[in-house]
Amino acid sequence: MSEDRAELGTGGTPIAGAAGSLALRDIPIPDYCDVVIVPTGGVEESDPRVWAEAIFAHENTPLGSRGLRALRDEAVRLFDMVPPPQKEFVADEVVGSEALIVDDDEKLAVRIGVALLPGGELLQVTTAVKYKTVRGRLAFAPRRLMHAAAVNTLARRAPTTIRRRALSGDRRAASLTSQVSRRALGRGPSSTR
């Protein structure tokens, strides 16, 4: 499959939906793939990079997950081992209304595409995983069971993260309009939804 066919339709326009995702450009036949589509919650942010960073931000992680990670880190310290650094996902590429996150290691090739669907009311997160080794298959097996649910939870929490960043003046949310801030405070025209 050529790169052009994977992301461009007739007349050179990007294909909307999972079939045209950047995640499937590099891994056209993944060993694992899921697509999660959630509403944007009225946030009028058009930059897919901001959405990608909000979805995978540390502050967007549920408190239970943060607590389990802290317990793991303390257990590792008891044995004088160094805990793994906190992984931060950053968009590697942006094409049109989709940001691509590349997270490869020696066992797995992972691509995550975060796209705003036409109209800006829906957010699509496409994950494609290719196993490089048997260890990669074994390492991803437990995550495979709950990956889509976890991404769904993170994506649903992203509008709140973007609103919070806009209210605090975070530089990563600098492109938000004041209208979103008014809506977050309950003063905008769409606060009755």
Side-chain angles (χ1 to χ4, degrees):
M1 178 183 234
S2 77
E3 220 174 85
D4 296 330
R5 288 191 316 181
E7 68 181 68
L8 298 179
T10 57
T13 60
I15 298 172
S21 175
L22 293 173
L24 297 174
R25 179 190 63 192
D26 296 339
I27 307 175
I29 303 174
D31 293 317
Y32 172 83
C33 185
D34 67 43
V35 178
V36 174
I37 299 175
V38 298
T40 59
V43 175
E44 295 179 359
E45 175 58 56
S46 61
D47 185 0
R49 187 181 305 267
V50 171
W51 282 104
E53 289 174 0
I55 288 171
F56 297 107
H58 176 70
E59 68 203 68
N60 198 29
T61 307
L63 288 176
S65 297
R66 285 190 232 171
L68 288 174
R69 188 175 297 122
L71 285 174
R72 179 203 64 192
D73 291 349
E74 287 305 315
V76 166
R77 282 188 187 97
L78 286 174
F79 296 105
D80 289 329
M81 297 174 6
V82 178
Q86 176 73 27
K87 186 180 270 189
E88 192 163 319
F89 293 97
V90 179
D92 295 294
E93 177 182 356
V94 175
V95 175
S97 63
E98 184 174 20
L100 178 68
I101 297 170
V102 177
D103 184 30
D104 291 349
D105 61 21
E106 65 279 351
K107 299 177 287 194
L108 297 168
V110 179
R111 302 290 186 275
I112 303 171
V114 177
L116 279 168
L117 295 180
E121 296 290 324
L122 295 173
L123 185 67
Q124 173 183 294
V125 182
T126 306
T127 304
V129 178
K130 188 74 169 175
Y131 308 133
K132 293 181 180 179
T133 66
V134 173
R135 289 186 72 188
R137 181 180 299 274
L138 294 173
F140 194 74
R143 288 186 263 170
R144 179 184 190 124
L145 298 175
M146 50 192 178
H147 185 271
V151 170
N152 188 349
T153 299
L154 293 174
R156 287 188 178 279
R157 294 170 61 105
T160 304
T161 300
I162 291 176
R163 285 186 186 108
R164 187 180 315 114
R165 286 177 173 181
L167 290 173
S168 68
D170 192 330
R171 62 174 175 74
R172 292 174 287 191
S175 63
L176 285 173
T177 63
S178 61
Q179 181 179 11
V180 174
S181 298
R182 288 194 311 272
R183 283 186 188 169
L185 294 172
R187 299 182 187 144
S190 297
S191 62
T192 58
R193 279 197 225 181

